[in-house]
Amino acid sequence: MTQFNEGELTDAVVASFEGTPDARTKVLLQELVRSLHDYVRRTNLTFDEWATAIDFLTRTGQTCTASRQEFILLSDVLGVSMLLDAINHRDRAGATETTVLGPFYVGEHKVTPHGTDISADLKGEKMFVQARVTDLSGAPLAGASVDVWHADDEGFYDSQRPDYASDGPSSRARFITDADGRFFFRTILPCSYPIPTDGPVGQMIVGAGRHPMRPAHVHFLVDAKGHEPLITHVFIGGDAYLDSDVVFGVKDELIAQVEQRTDPVMPDGKLAAAPWHLMTYEFRMKPGAGIAPKPMLSDPKSEAAE
């Protein structure tokens, strides 16, 4: 029987993966072993701490459902999601900055007409969003697919609501840009909100003395032929949590100064029943290729249709 000391054990485990057929998988597994073993040695991890970590990861997995991805949330609050985003988008070359996808992208593949109120049944202050998709030279990109989604006036996404499975999507839609690269829609002004604190990740954040808040924002996923897919947010300027986002996702370029308006008519020529807000933004796409991410969660309406 072979016996190893601390250093020899790591070398032996790393060597055990030498026969891994795929070269990239081999690198990932061996580096994971080195990093994990180094962490255990540097922290002098105890059996109780190891058991607590196993329990935490077990509960994180058990919390995941068809409409909740707790492991993505864990990646977000540890800064791993933004680190991954940073190393995979090092050279933006003038293109719009990227940020995290987040755990609430479920995919809404029904094309929605421009001007639709995607939050028609929700309370909140009305907001008109007008945006444009261009290449790096400013030329419009027609026919681009734009998925949008955001939280409601109480800080909840539709997929967090108990009636999501029966009622389906709200405050999320897909638009196709027109000949001038434009799209526009009506919604409500989103608010800052806490990440879910009823699960193991939220409990960890609160227990560590960190606040669980994200600044108000709208998610956008833009997919244009001949260009890299763009995953980003547009944040509401002036939000109290712009400098302390719990998932570290804010970038200066992504902050929009949303105007409060009292005009009786909105930009699409329709009457406004009350004061409203205007968000404008231009998305600049980087040339290239790629596949837009598939939803990590399940859209109940899509499943039913299938």
Side-chain angles (χ1 to χ4, degrees):
M1 179 180 292
T2 304
Q3 182 170 306
F4 304 103
N5 62 28
E6 290 181 18
E8 293 169 340
L9 176 61
T10 300
D11 292 339
V13 178
V14 168
S16 74
F17 289 105
E18 276 298 323
T20 305
D22 180 74
R24 179 61 175 169
T25 302
K26 173 184 170 181
V27 169
L28 294 175
L29 289 172
Q30 291 181 327
E31 288 302 316
L32 176 63
V33 170
R34 291 189 181 100
S35 297
L36 282 176
H37 283 222
D38 185 50
Y39 174 84
V40 172
R41 275 191 295 269
R42 286 188 295 105
T43 60
N44 291 313
L45 198 70
T46 68
F47 281 111
D48 285 345
E49 291 164 342
W50 175 80
T52 298
I54 295 295
D55 175 69
F56 173 79
L57 292 173
T58 299
R59 289 186 291 113
T60 298
Q62 291 170 339
T63 304
C64 296
T65 68
S67 58
R68 179 169 179 170
Q69 231 304 340
E70 194 79 354
F71 272 111
I72 290 182
L73 186 61
L74 177 60
S75 174
D76 288 351
V77 303
L78 292 179
V80 175
S81 299
M82 280 305 296
L83 179 59
L84 183 70
D85 180 78
I87 66 175
N88 282 276
H89 297 103
R90 285 181 172 129
D91 181 14
R92 296 305 295 153
T96 297
E97 291 288 347
T98 57
T99 191
V100 295
L101 180 66
F104 299 113
Y105 179 60
V106 303
E108 168 50 81
H109 303 287
K110 179 182 178 183
V111 175
T112 305
H114 295 185
T116 298
D117 188 345
I118 67 173
S119 302
D121 298 325
L122 300 180
K123 67 177 183 178
E125 299 178 33
K126 292 297 183 181
M127 182 171 73
F128 191 94
V129 178
Q130 56 182 16
R132 189 167 182 253
V133 180
T134 74
D135 64 15
L136 295 183
S137 72
L141 294 176
S145 171
V146 184
D147 283 7
V148 303
W149 67 103
H150 66 80
D152 62 23
D153 189 56
E154 296 180 330
F156 292 101
Y157 287 82
D158 52 1
S159 58
Q160 293 178 279
R161 297 289 189 181
D163 55 1
Y164 175 63
S166 58
D167 292 355
S170 175
S171 301
R172 76 174 72 232
R174 173 172 292 175
F175 299 95
I176 305 299
T177 59
D178 64 16
D180 197 33
R182 300 183 185 278
F183 67 97
F184 58 92
F185 60 95
R186 297 163 182 258
T187 187
I188 59 171
L189 184 70
C191 65
S192 49
Y193 63 86
I195 62 168
T197 55
D198 60 335
V201 175
Q203 291 164 5
M204 176 191 73
I205 289 298
V206 173
R210 288 175 57 186
H211 76 68
M213 300 299 293
R214 295 219 65 203
H217 58 275
V218 179
H219 292 260
F220 293 88
L221 193 165
V222 187
D223 193 12
K225 185 177 181 180
H227 295 77
E228 294 181 0
L230 171 66
I231 299 168
T232 196
H233 305 358
V234 176
F235 293 92
I236 309 298
D239 191 282
Y241 297 100
L242 287 172
D243 293 329
S244 60
D245 181 8
V246 68
V247 308
F248 312 98
V250 179
K251 297 179 180 179
D252 290 344
E253 181 192 303
L254 302 178
I255 300 172
Q257 299 306 315
V258 177
E259 305 173 39
Q260 186 167 12
R261 306 291 289 267
T262 57
D263 313 36
V265 179
M266 289 190 175
D268 60 356
K270 295 182 180 179
L271 294 176
W276 51 283
H277 301 264
L278 175 65
M279 172 188 282
T280 60
Y281 203 81
E282 183 169 293
F283 300 94
R284 301 179 306 279
M285 304 294 287
K286 183 178 180 180
I291 300 175
K294 294 182 179 180
M296 298 294 290
L297 308 177
S298 300
D299 176 355
K301 289 294 183 74
S302 295
E303 288 182 350
E306 291 173 357

